[in-house]
Amino acid sequence: MHATTATSWTLEPQGSATLTSFAGATIRHSSALVGRGQEIAEVAGQVRHSGLVHVTGTAGVGKSALALRIAQKLAPAFRGGYRAIDAARALDCEHLRALIAAAIRAQRPAHAAAEDHAGEFAGLLLLIDNCDRHAACIAGVARTLRRVRPDVHVLITGRMLDAPDGPSFAVPPLAFPPDAAMLDARTAMEFPAVRMFVQEAARHVPTFALSGENTRGAIAICRRVGGIPLAIKLAAAWLPHVAIATLADLVGPELLHRLLRTDPPRRDRRH
Ligand SMILES: Nc1ncnc2c1ncn2[C@@H]1O[C@H](COP(=O)(O)OP(=O)(O)OP(=O)(O)O)[C@@H](O)[C@H]1O
Ligand SMILES: [Mg+2]
């Protein structure tokens, strides 16, 4: 999809693993994105039209994963592609400004396909991820950036409610079945929360597949964690050690409370 260089940044194609790095910041999403077609289309449209979008939502709901996928999707439409910064790694506002400046200054690697779209949109799409610890800083930085470099479009993620100028998009949990009973495996798989649980379960138990025996447990887990991707991921990691029916009883609101209490984000431990 994109060319890579050793010195600047790399972007792997969409798939089971994505890795974007720039100026020491690294954003990884180790799973294929489940669902989110509608959200991607909506936020991508907002980025195109307003040039600055704030992606918000509760802890672990999938803001970063969604924003990264949107940046990948939109990159070919920007002459400079996209750059990603993990703001959680910035020590303070000054450091964050320096990372942003470095990201904008960097030369984009040659990418023939992008030439086909040259000029379609602005010069660069900048993803500033996990801005929670720099909420006050980022609003000012984004405002200034849009004024002095209107060719740079900005996608910001953070849990904070006070969005900088521009529209904000609240990421919803993954949809889950309304009821654990009476659903067969095939119908359950129509719900993205269940598909994600199955995907994660198979990472830990390679033989895992949804069946008449475990569908109810899988649905119960998705329901109990409210369709929050990070919680689904954490729950599935227990499968090698705990029977799914037991897990469904153990997982519950306290896991969500713990997630919500977690200081935002410590990315190294998430992926
Ligand atoms: N739709 C999805 N399909 C598969 N995995 C997902 C999906 N959404 C999120 N994930 C995974 O769930 C975990 C949490 O997602 P992510 O880090 O994007 O959440 P976040 O909202 O940015 O969290 P935080 O509030 O801590 O910044 C990650 O491991 C991510 O790869
Ligand atoms: Mg995040």
Side-chain angles (χ1 to χ4, degrees):
M1 183 178 174
H2 280 242
T4 62
T5 67
T7 52
S8 54
W9 53 280
T10 64
L11 168 60
E12 295 174 3
Q14 288 190 14
S16 59
T18 57
L19 166 65
T20 303
S21 68
F22 173 77
T26 303
I27 300 171
R28 292 172 204 271
H29 287 281
S30 52
S31 313
L33 202 67
V34 175
R36 297 306 196 198
Q38 205 178 320
E39 290 88 345
I40 289 171
E42 191 169 333
V43 179
Q46 289 179 334
V47 172
R48 287 164 187 243
H49 288 117
S50 18
L52 172 64
V53 179
H54 177 221
V55 174
T56 187
T58 193
V61 76
K63 301 176 290 297
S64 298
L66 179 69
L68 181 59
R69 185 54 44 89
I70 290 163
Q72 291 171 335
K73 177 184 162 73
L74 287 178
F78 287 83
R79 284 193 304 278
Y82 87 93
R83 306 274 188 272
I85 292 168
D86 189 351
R89 290 169 187 251
L91 301 174
D92 52 26
C93 191
E94 196 181 338
H95 187 202
L96 181 56
R97 284 171 181 274
L99 287 176
I100 292 171
I104 292 173
R105 268 198 315 271
Q107 290 297 307
R108 186 178 188 283
H111 175 29
E115 302 310 318
D116 302 339
H117 302 272
E120 188 179 341
F121 293 109
L124 179 72
L125 175 59
L126 189 62
L127 166 57
I128 312 176
D129 197 20
N130 300 315
C131 291
D132 306 87
R133 280 162 45 204
H134 305 287
C137 169
I138 199 66
V141 171
R143 198 173 299 124
T144 307
L145 189 57
R146 288 292 296 151
R147 198 179 64 244
V148 300
R149 288 292 304 267
D151 61 317
V152 176
H153 285 206
V154 186
L155 188 54
I156 294 171
T157 81
R159 299 175 193 171
M160 68 271 192
L161 296 173
D162 284 342
D165 302 342
S168 66
F169 179 87
V171 180
L174 293 174
F176 52 85
D179 190 344
M182 314 272 292
L183 272 193
D184 56 51
R186 195 185 169 125
T187 313
M189 286 293 274
E190 289 172 10
F191 293 86
V194 176
R195 289 205 300 281
M196 184 187 165
F197 179 80
V198 171
Q199 176 177 287
E200 289 298 316
R203 291 177 64 201
H204 297 282
V205 181
T207 54
F208 186 91
L210 216 55
S211 68
E213 297 182 357
N214 60 20
T215 298
R216 196 184 174 108
I219 294 173
I221 290 167
C222 293
R223 287 177 52 77
R224 290 182 67 111
V225 301
I228 300 289
L230 181 58
I232 291 173
K233 195 168 186 155
L234 294 175
W238 282 95
L239 276 178
H241 315 290
V242 184
I244 192 165
T246 312
L247 189 59
D249 287 337
L250 293 175
V251 171
E254 61 282 1
L255 176 62
L256 283 181
H257 285 308
R258 253 192 289 163
L259 278 179
L260 290 170
R261 278 208 320 265
T262 310
D263 286 341
R266 292 163 304 185
R267 179 142 309 285
D268 312 353
R269 289 157 51 182
R270 288 280 161 90
H271 305 287

